[in-house]
Amino acid sequence: MKRLALLSFALITSAQAATTITVASVNNPDMVTMQKLVPEFTKKYPDINVKFVFLPENELRQKVTLDVASNGGGFDLATVGAYEVPIWAKNGWLEPLNPLFSKNPDIARSYDLNDVLPSIRDAMTYNKNLYAVPFYAESSMTFYNKDLFKKAGITMAHNPTWTQIQSYASRIHNPSGGVYGICLRGLPGWGENMALFTTMANTFGGRWYDTDWNAQLNSPAWKDAMTFYVNLMKRYGPPGATGNGFTENLTLMSQGKCGMWVDATVAAGFLSDPSSSKIVKSVGFANAPTGPGTDRGNHWFWSWNLAIPKSTKKEDAAFKFLTWATSKDYIALVAKTKGTWAAVPPGTRVSTYHNPNYVRAAGAFSNIVMNSIRSADVNKPTLQPVPYTGVQYVSIPQFQALGTQVGQFLAGALSGDSTVDEALRQAQQAAQTVAVDGGYKK
């Protein structure tokens, strides 16, 4: 009886000693895989429980930004983008990781920060301190269905132009047969439709601001780009496109319902995974399209990263999960679980791209992905000079709201609720107001 009492006491004490960390994450497939593999983390750290809060991208940004800005402490870890990290670090919202690596030398040795791609590592650094580590990194590229192209008697260019993309879409589009010529993001959001559309505007010769912070959204380049986008999607896109973001288009493409899709390079692994894609044998890959103005700014640059909010009281436990989920061992675990190296989180580690197993599995797209990431120049994203950095975003705090607002105007033009001219007039006014009220325009 006494032994049972002692055992019960030990179990209760152990349960009380366990630390629960809450992770806020975008509901992308790679992050869902991370949640499924948490039992492997728990084997290594049985005293740490992990709880996930999955949200759509737009909602995630709103909730996490509000929580960290108000020091709410609702999350111990958050997936944050390349846009947010330096801004949040400057605001003092994130825990610097350098002291935690120094405090945990064994973890630091096995983690091997030098293996993380330098460009990604630099993007996560502010004032010489590292504030996040990448879960995956991406650029943009073109995906296409080789079977549909063959049936239409056309061949995808390795470096397509938007004009060629439109021509291909017209040949493939067969809505009565359940196939749409092209799928593009239409869901409003600075990280949704505006991520894709800004790269399009870049290649038409457009920019958000000139070097004096005068808004440029009423320029001929923006009008040409928006007119092209709206016409392309109305003629050859799926119905209800303003409700389609990355996740919805991934589903359409993987089910064989899209002839083409221009989006994040991370989708290459999903489309090559037999467990989630019906077009594994027919998916093809090409570079992101260029426009009539320039090839500059056609490849975006992005990474989803794990960061520790300053408000957490559980930074040690959060650090252990952060380093586990972004480690070399985790990447190998995903390959083992998925049964293919093509499905591992891409774009973060040099060792991944030197691994012969990955090269064999992802040979059809790995070079395009790596070259796209390397060629995306956040410091020179447009044909004409600009006062900001960022290919598919403007690196100012106000852009999260501004980009989403302009995304709503773009969606209005696509749905027919407004004209392109009206959308551009509203967008220009909103961008100019931000420049003035934000103190950028002197």
Side-chain angles (χ1 to χ4, degrees), residues 80-158:
V80 295
Y83 160 79
E84 288 97 347
V85 172
I87 295 173
W88 289 12
K90 182 179 180 180
N91 290 343
W93 296 350
L94 299 178
E95 192 77 35
L97 300 181
N98 304 67
L100 293 171
F101 274 107
S102 297
K103 184 180 175 182
N104 296 274
D106 290 341
I107 291 178
R109 277 191 295 271
S110 62
Y111 189 81
D112 189 9
L113 266 174
N114 289 329
D115 186 49
V116 177
L117 287 168
S119 59
I120 308 295
R121 204 167 60 235
D122 290 346
M124 301 302 106
T125 300
Y126 175 76
N127 276 354
K128 299 182 179 180
N129 275 310
L130 187 71
Y131 283 90
V133 287
F135 185 68
Y136 70 77
E138 66 185 30
S139 185
S140 51
M141 65 191 294
T142 301
F143 308 97
Y144 66 101
N145 190 311
K146 292 187 290 186
D147 289 347
L148 294 176
F149 267 62
K150 183 178 180 180
K151 184 178 179 181
I154 52 180
T155 302
M156 170 65 77
H158 182 66

Side-chain angles (χ1 to χ4, degrees), residues 58 61-62 65 83-84 87-88 188-191 193-194 208-209 217 393-394 396-409 426-427 430-431 434:
N58 289 342
R61 288 195 169 101
Q62 293 171 358
T65 301
Y83 160 79
E84 288 97 347
I87 295 173
W88 289 12
W190 75 267
N193 63 347
M194 290 311 299
W208 279 82
Y209 294 98
L217 280 65
Y393 58 83
V394 178
I396 58 174
Q398 296 88 344
F399 186 74
Q400 183 168 329
L402 172 62
T404 296
Q405 188 177 15
V406 175
Q408 290 166 345
F409 300 146
Q426 293 173 309
V434 164

Side-chain angles (χ1 to χ4, degrees), residues 63-248:
K63 286 188 178 297
V64 175
T65 301
L66 179 62
D67 185 77
V68 298
S70 63
N71 203 35
F75 306 113
D76 304 296
L77 271 172
T79 52
V80 295
Y83 160 79
E84 288 97 347
V85 172
I87 295 173
W88 289 12
K90 182 179 180 180
N91 290 343
W93 296 350
L94 299 178
E95 192 77 35
L97 300 181
N98 304 67
L100 293 171
F101 274 107
S102 297
K103 184 180 175 182
N104 296 274
D106 290 341
I107 291 178
R109 277 191 295 271
S110 62
Y111 189 81
D112 189 9
L113 266 174
N114 289 329
D115 186 49
V116 177
L117 287 168
S119 59
I120 308 295
R121 204 167 60 235
D122 290 346
M124 301 302 106
T125 300
Y126 175 76
N127 276 354
K128 299 182 179 180
N129 275 310
L130 187 71
Y131 283 90
V133 287
F135 185 68
Y136 70 77
E138 66 185 30
S139 185
S140 51
M141 65 191 294
T142 301
F143 308 97
Y144 66 101
N145 190 311
K146 292 187 290 186
D147 289 347
L148 294 176
F149 267 62
K150 183 178 180 180
K151 184 178 179 181
I154 52 180
T155 302
M156 170 65 77
H158 182 66
N159 296 296
T161 65
W162 277 112
T163 301
Q164 287 176 308
I165 292 292
Q166 183 181 50
S167 176
Y168 299 151
S170 69
R171 300 280 296 277
I172 295 170
H173 192 57
N174 181 21
S176 62
V179 173
Y180 307 102
I182 189 164
C183 293
L184 298 174
R185 298 187 187 192
L187 183 68
W190 75 267
E192 284 285 3
N193 63 347
M194 290 311 299
L196 180 280
F197 181 74
T198 297
T199 63
M200 183 184 286
N202 291 342
T203 68
F204 274 71
R207 52 184 173 167
W208 279 82
Y209 294 98
D210 67 16
T211 52
D212 293 321
W213 286 98
N214 295 302
Q216 298 294 297
L217 280 65
N218 61 354
S219 65
W222 267 72
K223 182 171 182 177
D224 289 347
M226 190 175 291
T227 301
F228 182 90
Y229 167 87
V230 168
N231 289 340
L232 178 65
M233 290 294 285
K234 282 185 174 180
R235 292 171 183 168
Y236 310 120
T242 56
N244 293 344
F246 171 83
T247 304
E248 293 79 12

Side-chain angles (χ1 to χ4, degrees), residues 296-307:
R296 185 174 292 279
N298 69 317
H299 290 126
W300 74 52
F301 174 86
W302 187 253
S303 60
W304 277 116
N305 318 278
L306 288 176

Side-chain angles (χ1 to χ4, degrees), residues 15 83 88 270 282 372 389:
Y83 160 79
W88 289 12
F270 305 143
S282 60
S372 297
T389 61

